[in-house]
Amino acid sequence: MLLFLMPQIISAQFYFFGRNKVQYESFQWKLLKTEHFDIYYYDNFEQIAEIGARFAEESFEELKVKFNHYVISRIPLIFYNTHIHFQQTNTIPNFIPEGVGGFFEFLKGRVVIPYPGSLKDFRHVIKHELVHVFMTNKIFNILRDHRIETNRMPPLWFVEGLAEYWSYEWDAQGEMVMRDFVLNNMFIPLEDLSGAGGYIIYKEGQSFLEFIAAEFGEDKILFIIENMWRFNSFNDNLEYSLGLKIKDIGERWEYYLKKKYYPLYESYLPHFIGARKLTDAGLNFNPRIFIRNGKKEVYFIGNHNGYSSVFKLDYENIERAEPEVIIEGEKEPEYESFHLLDNTLDLSEDGLLAFITKSKERDVIHLYSVIDNEKIKTLRFENLISIRSPKFSDDGKRLLFSATDTKAYVDIYMYDLEKDTLLRLTNDYYADADPLFDKEGKKVIFCSDRTSGEYAQKFNLFELDLSSYAVSYITNINANIRFPRFSPDYKTLYLNCDYDGVYNIWRINNFDEDKGEIEQLTRFVTSVYSFDFADDTTLITSSFEKLSFQFYELDIPDKGIYDRIASDYTKIKPAWKTSGISSLKGVDRLKYDREYTLDYAVGQLSTDPIYGSRGGALFAVSDLLGDDRYIFYFYNSAELQSEILDNFNIALSRINLQKRGNYGYGIFHFAGRRYDIRESEEFFYERVYGGFAEIHYPFSVFQRLEASVNLANSDKELFGEFMARKALLMSNTLSFVHDNALWASTGPIDGSRFRIMLGYISDIKFSNLNYYSVIADYRKYFRIGYTSAVALRGAIFINHGKEARRYFAGGSWDLRGWPRWSIRGEKLWLSSIELRFPLIDRIYIKFPFFGLGFAGLRGALFFDSGAAWDSKYKETLGSVGFGFRLNLFNVITLRYDIGKKIENNFSRFQDKLFYQFFFGWDF
């Protein structure tokens, strides 16, 4: 955005790489106004949006009682029909990872939510985010009423824990995580919880509030919130509200959890005891067995190389073998991302692998032959956005899967590989998943939340007859069932079920004869995610333990079943229905019109005895969706009162991000005393005004084209000279940028980045200045360990022509050891080779009243070389040494380098060592 703002004062040498946040879709937004909400949705999402509106109003009524608070202002809710569309939102500039299910944006009070795939989860996410709205609004009012700064908030673990506790029941995922952390001594104590992050703080926070409600009463939760004005420290607030020291509260909570979870070891097994552990690194999901010439191979989705990819393991030597990459993901648009935690891979008996990736604006299914080691085909369906759960028929000629369409319906589809046809098998707002064929291929068995009656919205097993398309119940139990799998002889159906709190393996014996009872095969402490048959008596599972997903080998027992559950079909009622907001009064449907509000405003004022007072401000406004933005900048650099009118700096810019091609344009006027290291050592006065336009067109997340044009009138006066240089400058640039690098804490460690730029700057009125520019910068990273890498860089910079500006180098960012920006020339080349490695994984400093944690200390061995010249090449310079890198709060990296310069055209080292401290990411 700053490149759009002030293009005239930004050197072409300072550019950026980075991946692209691509707006693949041009959404036609609509507005639904209810009593308390402005709800924004688009295209065919109206039915689910109206149901979401009802959920929001119901949650509002419940939360106003829980918080004893009423939110007066209208709350904007922005709905996206899938997570893939949600990742395109412009409401925040950040990239949104797969695990984010929605957010409350504090700046404008926006709640942004993708449809998670089921109405029950949709209600949960809406209520979760509205808890944030109520809590933030209540605390703001409390602090304002007590005339205290309104930026005081509870720590993140309390904020997210409260949102979970007051929005949803305790579920299998939360139970799995808490069992794992408590029983494996990974639990984060209360006193250290404020320094933690990630999903665990959601569940530890929720668990802590359950403890508060159980031991002190639920009214204490609201009491804590209402006491926010009393203390700067949240721990002091807890001590006051609960009447105990923070250490005692933490110890009581730990005792509460140990009393709850330690007895599980009497009847539950850790995975490493109940099964044989096969892998011990990375994350491993969706194992599929293929037999090649009598030898078994395991194909799976994992991240052993840092990228989500398809891997292969030799099953016979699985504990010693290194995974082989079959398809590497996250480096090109076709395999932009794998959905690691979801069911996205299957393998037919004849060696056809089906796996799902995000490819640009939607999910696709790739068909890959593991026998020929080549991709056969990519299936892309126009109206299907998100795809999961691929499953081949026994003969490999048909493929089942579940997918989300433009209405956000999650339904079952069948693709015929021979006929190249797609058939939709279900069509409603129930969430259907994990389909598979029966033995004859005449019926489809799947999981669905269409369960009605007493167990409404539980995921049970259903059966769809392919001749009549009639759907009937297989199970009706008070639990969730996922991932059904037939045994090799099709006599037994194995499945995952969370009846005892986490997902364990259950089965239906004699499936063709008696489907009404399931029996529990395993009783592990934490969940089994997916599994496949190694043979008739052995399963290979992907299971969660010690905050990791690893493969285990499990012998199927003949006896020793833990539990049995019979389906109660008498409790089945007519299919449940959920009405939308239409049944309520005061609902308006409107077309979305842009309304602009302030994003941010910053100002600065300085004064000194030599240059006097100067100051300015920067502020920006945008529409509610963040698609259209205006930035206003003004500053005065006058040194004398009489010069105020001559030294106004103003820039007005517009940036539009609504469509795939992002563009910006604006006008500017800059005036004042300048010093430009690229031109000379002299100060000069310059007045420059004009306009600019720029467009960025992303081909994918990894590549983009940038083009800009700039027209500026320049009046430049060098001090000590009588004549001013006048010019009407037209500058044009065209750049191609690529970036698929994978980052560690201080810089890239895998992948590549490059930029090629062509430019031409000309004085189209006086011909006082004409030159062309070429920049080529290539960076490649070779990983030699999980967080170690060799990094290479080669770059050349050329300006050639009349009054061509100089490039510069020197300092911690390129030629280390040399004074910063001391090496200058119209031509410049640079090269670097660097070994990057970890020194200390994590640094934690404990103070009497708080602690500070850092991502770790990294080291680097480097060799730099380069040169700069105007018309005649002078000499080659270099440096060699080692350095330390420290990431501070993911905001800035501190760099300290020690080494020797290579001087006199690479003929000798300097006599002493250089020591250089600066900041910045690794190249």
Side-chain angles (χ1 to χ4, degrees), residues 600-616:
Y600 56 84
V602 293
Q604 182 244 336
L605 178 66
S606 63
T607 185
D608 64 69
I610 297 177
Y611 296 108
S613 298
R614 58 188 66 194

Side-chain angles (χ1 to χ4, degrees), residues 861-921:
L861 298 174
F862 61 85
F863 171 67
D864 301 330
S865 58
W869 70 101
D870 290 334
S871 57
K872 184 177 180 181
Y873 192 88
K874 297 178 182 178
E875 63 174 339
T876 303
L877 307 173
S879 61
V880 63
F882 64 93
F884 304 96
R885 311 285 184 261
L886 181 63
N887 180 308
L888 288 181
F889 314 114
N890 289 323
V891 174
I892 191 172
T893 292
L894 302 182
R895 310 164 57 87
Y896 187 71
D897 294 316
I898 304 170
K900 282 182 175 287
K901 294 186 293 183
I902 306 175
E903 304 171 324
N904 291 346
N905 203 25
F906 249 63
S907 62
R908 73 179 186 90
F909 288 100
Q910 72 175 110
D911 295 330
K912 297 181 180 181
L913 293 173
F914 69 77
Y915 304 89
Q916 198 165 53
F917 175 78
F918 206 53
F919 62 89
W921 307 102

Side-chain angles (χ1 to χ4, degrees), residues 577-597:
K577 303 291 183 183
T578 298
S579 60
I581 200 70
S582 302
S583 58
L584 301 182
K585 295 180 180 180
V587 177
D588 294 323
R589 292 171 178 80
L590 306 169
K591 182 182 177 182
Y592 170 67
D593 290 320
R594 289 176 179 163
E595 294 182 2
Y596 295 86
T597 54

Side-chain angles (χ1 to χ4, degrees), residues 64-191:
K64 74 179 184 183
V65 176
K66 279 188 175 293
F67 279 95
N68 190 25
H69 178 73
Y70 194 94
V71 177
I72 299 174
S73 58
R74 299 186 62 78
I75 303 169
L77 281 179
I78 302 171
F79 289 154
Y80 289 87
N81 78 343
T82 59
H83 198 277
I84 288 176
H85 284 177
F86 172 59
Q87 290 177 310
Q88 300 177 38
T89 184
N90 287 319
T91 52
I92 58 172
N94 317 57
F95 288 97
I96 300 176
E98 298 235 348
V100 176
F103 59 82
F104 167 51
E105 185 268 331
F106 291 82
L107 198 64
K108 292 190 175 184
R110 295 171 288 196
V111 175
V112 187
I113 297 172
Y115 184 64
S118 76
L119 291 173
K120 185 176 182 180
D121 289 340
F122 197 32
R123 181 193 292 271
H124 166 211
V125 177
I126 290 171
K127 195 171 181 181
H128 175 107
E129 300 304 333
L130 290 182
V131 172
H132 290 323
V133 174
F134 271 83
M135 188 201 72
T136 303
N137 193 265
K138 183 178 179 71
I139 291 176
F140 177 88
N141 288 344
I142 289 172
L143 296 176
R144 184 189 57 189
D145 292 345
H146 287 86
R147 298 184 179 181
I148 297 172
E149 289 186 12
T150 56
N151 59 357
R152 184 185 300 176
M153 287 287 290
L156 188 60
W157 66 262
F158 183 89
V159 171
E160 297 297 348
L162 180 67
E164 284 291 277
Y165 181 63
W166 274 355
S167 69
Y168 199 56
E169 63 199 27
W170 189 249
D171 61 6
Q173 190 163 308
E175 181 70 6
M176 175 188 74
V177 170
M178 288 305 298
R179 286 184 184 185
D180 188 56
F181 266 64
V182 173
L183 294 177
N184 290 305
N185 299 315
M186 301 165 64
F187 174 75
I188 303 172
L190 179 61
E191 293 176 87

Side-chain angles (χ1 to χ4, degrees), residues 546-734:
K546 296 183 179 178
L547 201 58
S548 180
F549 293 90
Q550 301 299 330
F551 289 153
Y552 295 82
E553 186 181 75
L554 174 68
D555 293 329
I556 301 173
D558 293 329
K559 299 179 181 180
I561 301 303
Y562 290 101
D563 202 353
R564 285 184 172 86
I565 309 171
S567 294
D568 188 348
Y569 300 114
T570 63
K571 295 185 177 180
I572 296 174
K573 304 294 182 184
W576 58 267
K577 303 291 183 183
T578 298
S579 60
I581 200 70
S582 302
S583 58
L584 301 182
K585 295 180 180 180
V587 177
D588 294 323
R589 292 171 178 80
L590 306 169
K591 182 182 177 182
Y592 170 67
D593 290 320
R594 289 176 179 163
E595 294 182 2
Y596 295 86
T597 54
L598 182 68
D599 287 338
Y600 56 84
V602 293
Q604 182 244 336
L605 178 66
S606 63
T607 185
D608 64 69
I610 297 177
Y611 296 108
S613 298
R614 58 188 66 194
L618 172 71
F619 61 96
V621 298
S622 70
D623 70 319
L624 189 84
L625 298 172
D627 292 336
D628 203 39
R629 307 179 183 194
Y630 291 86
I631 301 175
F632 304 87
Y633 166 83
F634 60 92
Y635 191 86
N636 195 283
S637 57
E639 298 174 12
L640 299 173
Q641 186 174 355
S642 59
E643 298 176 347
I644 289 179
L645 295 179
D646 294 329
N647 286 270
F648 263 110
N649 296 275
I650 300 173
L652 308 177
S653 306
R654 182 194 181 192
I655 303 169
N656 189 280
L657 308 174
Q658 183 179 11
K659 298 183 178 180
R660 186 166 182 170
N662 301 159
Y663 64 86
Y665 57 83
I667 57 174
F668 54 86
H669 174 278
F670 300 125
R673 198 162 74 128
R674 305 275 189 262
Y675 170 76
D676 193 334
I677 195 173
R678 301 166 297 172
E679 296 189 10
S680 69
E681 302 287 350
E682 304 294 330
F683 280 94
F684 59 89
Y685 177 87
E686 183 178 25
R687 177 172 178 256
V688 57
Y689 58 89
F692 71 93
E694 187 165 351
I695 184 169
H696 292 182
Y697 186 86
F699 299 107
S700 68
V701 170
F702 309 108
Q703 296 175 341
R704 66 178 174 270
L705 191 68
E706 299 177 0
S708 68
V709 59
N710 194 326
L711 182 64
N713 189 86
S714 170
D715 294 337
K716 179 178 176 182
E717 300 175 5
L718 283 173
F719 292 104
E721 296 187 7
F722 296 103
M723 294 291 293
R725 189 219 66 187
K726 296 180 178 293
L728 182 60
L729 301 176
M730 172 74 78
S731 63
N732 306 274
T733 64
L734 184 67

